Amino acid sequence: MAYRYTPAIARLISAFAKLPGIGQKSAQRLAFHILDEKKEDALALADAIREACSSIHLCSVCCNFTEDDPCDICTSSARDNTRICIVENPRDVAAMERIHDYRGLYHVLHGVISPMHNVGPEDVKLKELFIRLREHDEVEEIILATNSTIEGEATALYIARLLKPSGIRTTRIAHGIPMGAALEYADDVTLSRAFQNRQEI
Amino acid sequence: MAYRYTPAIARLISAFAKLPGIGQKSAQRLAFHILDEKKEDALALADAIREACSSIHLCSVCCNFTEDDPCDICTSSARDNTRICIVENPRDVAAMERIHDYRGLYHVLHGVISPMHNVGPEDVKLKELFIRLREHDEVEEIILATNSTIEGEATALYIARLLKPSGIRTTRIAHGIPMGAALEYADDVTLSRAFQNRQEI
């Protein structure tokens, strides 16, 4: 007979193991940590999960996570509402905001088109984007900032093609050698892209 | 102004970041996963944490985690109550139980003596062990299975010395080359220990 954890511990371990990047061993470690250490921290985590699940939803304009609808960025008078940056997920909004260069708005797709994984255009927040563009004719530029994966590239091209008739300027973020990286360690695709997109200095 | 997550997301991220081995980046990833994916899983985790915190406590006999007191192992008639295996923490009980070789009882110290970290004999469950031994004179063997770290070794020696006057047989689990491991990659201390403890075949 295999050793069985008590039901409450077993449930805790399997709940942790469902999180991404957390295997059975890590889940055990986390579960025992919670029982061993300060219970307040554990209960604070339980509360934070409950609170986030009930209070966070998608902004009806940009589809980013928000507590208020529309979200802070969509309602801010300090933002440039002639530009919309299209990203795959809310983490990308956080990354873009960290660079402080961009003061426009966002649109979060919550995924990329991927026929391989049965994800079609209707499975990402594309319809919401076009409804938004129809209602807001002040938009002058769409910046496609999906990831430089095959799916991200394909999704960017797909959106660019759909936007063509509208006459809105459509741009794609630049790909090339990351700052501080050595040329010799760059992968071929990145290097090739960096060479093609070389610019006058 | 740095980009701020909404308060509920920020709280969720910082609650995750308090778990061992989970840094800021992983905490963000977990928080967004919970918001992105099935909320049932997230709420199940919150419930499992709450339930574990309220229902799990230490067995009054062996100090292992348990929902019932005394725990299943301590109350089982199928176990050999003349042997007590002393381990550092409840995960070690699970490890020992996996090998199916041991049918005795356990005593969980919940730590090791470590003067460097201000952990003295009174900070681990040693008093509980000696009270237990006084009340149960059927114990014939104490197996010291603390880890083979400096603190684990010192704790094992300390307990062995305290047990000496009682006349109870005291053993230490064997250390040596792990099964399947190559001699050439073994560290010097392990190899030296394996050589000292060589046995007739």
Side-chain angles (χ1 to χ4, degrees):
Chain A
M1 191 193 71
Y3 177 66
R4 298 241 167 270
Y5 290 110
T6 62
I9 297 183
R11 264 194 297 278
L12 185 58
I13 292 174
S14 77
F16 269 123
K18 281 191 182 149
L19 294 174
I22 297 195
Q24 199 60 25
K25 281 264 170 185
S26 306
Q28 271 180 38
R29 183 154 157 258
L30 292 173
F32 280 110
H33 169 84
I34 275 183
L35 295 166
D36 256 337
E37 304 292 316
K38 285 177 291 179
K39 288 200 173 173
E40 308 91 85
D41 284 358
L43 294 175
L45 174 59
D47 288 344
I49 292 171
R50 290 217 148 273
E51 190 203 352
C53 283
S54 68
S55 70
I56 304 284
H57 46 261
L58 300 190
C59 169
S60 60
V61 179
C62 72
C63 303
N64 194 5
F65 289 137
T66 182
E67 274 156 88
D68 310 310
D69 191 23
C71 73
D72 288 354
I73 294 179
C74 286
T75 52
S76 167
S77 61
R79 312 283 311 202
D80 172 5
N81 63 3
T82 65
R83 282 178 172 73
I84 297 178
C85 177
I86 300 188
V87 293
E88 290 183 20
N89 61 55
R91 288 185 298 281
D92 298 331
V93 173
M96 284 292 295
E97 288 293 290
R98 272 199 301 275
I99 63 173
H100 303 294
D101 279 342
Y102 179 66
R103 303 304 298 156
L105 306 177
Y106 292 95
H107 191 84
V108 182
L109 294 177
H110 288 273
V112 275
I113 301 167
S114 171
M116 286 261 293
H117 299 95
N118 268 323
V119 183
E122 67 287 349
D123 298 315
V124 299
K125 306 287 181 194
L126 258 184
K127 198 177 74 217
E128 289 79 352
L129 174 67
F130 286 94
I131 292 173
R132 185 175 173 188
L133 290 177
R134 213 178 304 142
E135 287 167 2
H136 295 81
D137 57 5
E138 70 272 23
V139 178
E140 293 167 8
E141 181 179 0
I142 298 282
I143 299 149
L144 297 164
T146 50
N147 290 330
S148 59
T149 54
I150 294 173
E151 289 89 355
E153 291 288 335
T155 304
L157 283 175
Y158 182 87
I159 298 173
R161 212 162 43 215
L162 287 181
L163 286 170
K164 198 109 202 187
S166 71
I168 300 173
R169 183 179 175 216
T170 310
T171 56
R172 178 93 175 102
I173 52 163
H175 293 103
I177 309 291
M179 295 299 288
L183 212 69
E184 59 176 321
Y185 297 123
D187 65 286
D188 296 353
V189 182
T190 301
L191 193 53
S192 151
R193 184 70 84 99
F195 180 74
Q196 281 162 33
N197 297 348
R198 64 193 180 281
Q199 295 176 308
E200 300 279 349
I201 54 163
Chain B
M1 190 193 72
Y3 177 65
R4 298 240 167 271
Y5 289 110
T6 61
I9 297 183
R11 262 194 298 277
L12 185 57
I13 293 175
S14 75
F16 269 122
K18 280 189 182 150
L19 295 174
I22 298 195
Q24 198 62 24
K25 281 264 169 184
S26 306
Q28 269 179 40
R29 182 153 159 259
L30 291 174
F32 281 110
H33 170 84
I34 276 183
L35 295 166
D36 257 337
E37 304 293 316
K38 285 177 291 178
K39 290 200 176 175
E40 309 92 83
D41 283 358
L43 294 175
L45 174 59
D47 288 344
I49 293 170
R50 291 215 148 274
E51 191 204 349
C53 284
S54 67
S55 71
I56 303 282
H57 47 260
L58 301 190
C59 169
S60 60
V61 179
C62 72
C63 303
N64 195 6
F65 289 138
T66 183
E67 277 157 85
D68 309 310
D69 191 23
C71 73
D72 289 354
I73 293 179
C74 287
T75 51
S76 168
S77 60
R79 313 282 311 202
D80 172 4
N81 64 3
T82 65
R83 284 179 171 73
I84 296 179
C85 177
I86 299 188
V87 294
E88 290 183 20
N89 62 55
R91 289 186 298 280
D92 299 330
V93 173
M96 282 293 294
E97 287 294 289
R98 272 199 300 275
I99 61 172
H100 302 296
D101 278 342
Y102 180 67
R103 303 306 295 158
L105 306 177
Y106 292 94
H107 191 85
V108 183
L109 294 177
H110 288 273
V112 274
I113 300 168
S114 171
M116 286 260 296
H117 301 94
N118 267 323
V119 183
E122 66 289 347
D123 298 315
V124 298
K125 306 287 181 193
L126 259 185
K127 197 176 76 220
E128 289 80 352
L129 173 67
F130 286 95
I131 291 172
R132 187 177 171 186
L133 290 178
R134 213 178 305 141
E135 288 169 1
H136 296 81
D137 57 5
E138 69 273 25
V139 179
E140 294 166 8
E141 181 179 359
I142 298 282
I143 300 148
L144 296 164
T146 51
N147 290 329
S148 59
T149 55
I150 294 173
E151 289 89 355
E153 292 287 335
T155 304
L157 282 175
Y158 181 86
I159 298 173
R161 212 163 42 215
L162 287 181
L163 286 171
K164 198 109 199 186
S166 71
I168 299 172
R169 183 178 175 215
T170 309
T171 56
R172 179 95 175 98
I173 52 163
H175 294 102
I177 310 293
M179 294 300 288
L183 212 70
E184 61 176 320
Y185 297 124
D187 65 285
D188 295 353
V189 182
T190 301
L191 194 52
S192 151
R193 184 69 84 97
F195 180 73
Q196 282 161 31
N197 297 346
R198 66 194 181 278
Q199 296 176 307
E200 300 280 347
I201 55 164

